[in-house]
Amino acid sequence: MVKINKLLLGTTSLLSLSLLAACGNGDEESSSEESSDTLSVWMMGDGNETVQPIFDAYTEETGIEVDLQSIPWSAAHDRLLTAVASGEGPDVVQMGSTYMAEFTDAGALLDISDYIESSDALSPENFFEGNVATTMFDDNYYGVPWYTETRALYYRTDLLEEVGYPEGPSNWEELYDAAVKLSERGDNMYGFDINLKEQTFGPMFAKQNGSEIINEAGEPVLNEPEFVEAIEYLHSFVEAGATTNQDLGIELSQSFGGEGIVPMFISGPWSISMIEDQTTDIEGKWDIRTLPEGPVSNVSNTGGANLAVWSSSDHPDEAMDLIEHMVSVDSLMTYYDTTSSLPALVEAWEEEPFQDEKIAVFGEQLENSEHMPLIEGWDRMSQAYLSSFEQIMVGGADIQETLDNLNEEVKTIIE
């Protein structure tokens, strides 16, 4: 899962870094003809072991060594900013999809459109559309989709059957009805988890209600009726006692397992292994389905990571060759085996692991998933949203007034 550092570069400093990056790339054209026996690669995460087998195979095939550095997600944003300022970055870098706009604007990532257009393996048609969209800016490509994730609905089949929804709720009305009925089982029992710390949760429901987040004119619309109605819908679960607006402080094994204190929640594919590892008493009593249909759609959020070439790399040809290797079916299956991360390459979904019914749900949901706004100020904007959402869900603040204030704050962030 992509974890996002909440620091964001201010407009003035971003412009300064853009200039620094530009100054550091003056000899790119002449140096790109040089070959290399070693490529430097920055990967985000907690260890090299998840990707080392991919690079070992590449070295065996090409003779080119890979100098791999793993950077924790908590430190990734600062490390990237430092690289922009110094002009010294890796050849290949893993970029969280929400980082793309900021670092493309800063001049940190190489325009790889020519490579994309000349390579059948890297054709955008090979990847999920929602992931491709996170690599494009001003009709140019600055990355290749690598792994993807989206959200679906986890539910306890045994408990949902008791309230009339054995296959889980299929729309907003059924979701609310099931959650309320489940909450009536007794004290401290709920029906549906509303994640107060997930920055895409409310906006995702707003999209299902036909709302934009940022309109075509580049203006936030977080206080328009479609967005407001979605937040009102989520708040109705609090009013009915069908969700908790406090941290329960318990593990998934206690909330989803056992009695099923919270029998429905929305999450990505990583929760499959968590449930299997942490619960021993609900085997065969839970399932996953695509998100319930809202008034307009059941669109989910697309996240994940891309692979990009640092703009000051002296070896862009070799870097792109390595990226092509990393997004091959064999490499993506290796990465799935070590991380459970889902491939953004559509062809890889024909492989055996993705025929599993639970995993296949995420493939189906990816066909109707969209990314959040690709703007420099997304991190700050999302933090402002989370603060406002908490005021509403926990503090009982007036929804329209709070979203009016939020919309004004976001205007200043993205101007």
Side-chain angles (χ1 to χ4, degrees), residues 42-329:
W42 288 1
M43 305 302 294
M44 310 311 171
D46 298 324
N48 291 359
E49 64 277 1
T50 60
V51 289
Q52 191 62 56
I54 297 173
F55 297 133
D56 288 344
Y58 181 74
T59 299
E60 183 177 350
E61 178 183 327
T62 66
I64 298 175
E65 298 289 337
V66 175
D67 178 13
L68 172 60
Q69 293 188 44
S70 289
I71 303 170
W73 277 109
S74 59
H77 192 268
D78 285 352
R79 183 68 178 275
L80 292 169
L81 290 181
T82 301
V84 174
S86 67
E88 298 179 0
D91 293 302
V92 175
V93 60
Q94 176 186 343
M95 297 293 297
S97 58
T98 57
Y99 289 170
M100 290 294 295
E102 178 182 352
F103 289 95
T104 298
D105 188 75
L109 306 181
L110 185 69
D111 180 349
I112 58 173
S113 301
D114 289 344
Y115 292 99
I116 298 294
E117 292 168 2
S118 62
S119 170
D120 290 340
L122 300 179
S123 170
E125 296 180 356
N126 297 342
F127 303 90
F128 286 108
E129 183 178 355
N131 295 96
V132 171
T134 69
T135 69
M136 289 186 65
F137 299 89
D138 296 327
D139 296 324
N140 294 319
Y141 293 97
Y142 291 87
V144 177
W146 188 29
Y147 68 80
T148 185
E149 53 94 351
T150 190
R151 311 297 201 275
L153 181 71
Y154 288 72
Y155 66 100
R156 284 281 298 270
T157 53
D158 55 343
L159 300 178
L160 268 294
E161 184 173 15
E162 292 178 4
V163 295
Y165 299 100
E167 297 181 355
S170 63
N171 55 47
W172 277 20
E173 182 179 352
E174 291 184 356
L175 177 62
Y176 178 80
D177 182 61
V180 170
K181 289 177 178 176
L182 288 163
S183 69
E184 293 171 347
R185 292 172 294 157
D187 293 340
N188 300 316
M189 288 291 179
Y190 305 97
F192 177 54
D193 177 61
I194 294 178
N195 193 333
L196 301 179
K197 298 180 179 179
E198 171 54 61
Q199 58 202 8
T200 66
F201 196 94
M204 181 177 69
F205 274 82
K207 284 190 171 187
Q208 292 174 8
N209 196 41
S211 175
E212 296 177 292
I213 311 302
I214 306 293
N215 65 19
E216 293 183 358
E219 301 168 338
V221 288
L222 309 180
N223 62 343
E224 294 296 319
E226 294 85 355
F227 197 98
V228 174
E229 289 165 5
I231 302 303
E232 289 174 342
Y233 170 72
L234 294 175
H235 187 255
S236 70
F237 288 81
V238 175
E239 294 179 311
T243 191
T244 174
N245 59 2
Q246 303 294 329
D247 185 0
L248 293 174
I250 58 177
E251 298 292 332
L252 188 65
S253 59
Q254 296 171 281
S255 62
F256 192 64
E259 294 180 288
I261 296 173
V262 185
M264 293 188 292
F265 68 96
I266 291 173
S267 186
W270 53 86
S271 289
I272 294 177
S273 59
M274 291 176 63
I275 293 172
E276 293 173 342
D277 293 342
Q278 295 182 22
T279 63
T280 58
D281 57 344
I282 60 171
E283 185 176 354
K285 298 179 180 179
W286 65 279
D287 208 345
I288 310 170
R289 60 157 298 139
T290 53
L291 294 181
E293 190 82 15
V296 174
S297 75
N298 77 327
V299 67
S300 187
N301 179 54
T302 294
N306 303 319
L307 299 170
V309 178
W310 203 255
S311 59
S312 60
S313 170
D314 291 334
H315 312 291
D317 293 344
E318 291 93 336
M320 288 302 303
D321 185 63
L322 175 58
I323 288 175
E324 187 167 325
H325 168 80
M326 292 177 70
V327 300
S328 68
V329 172

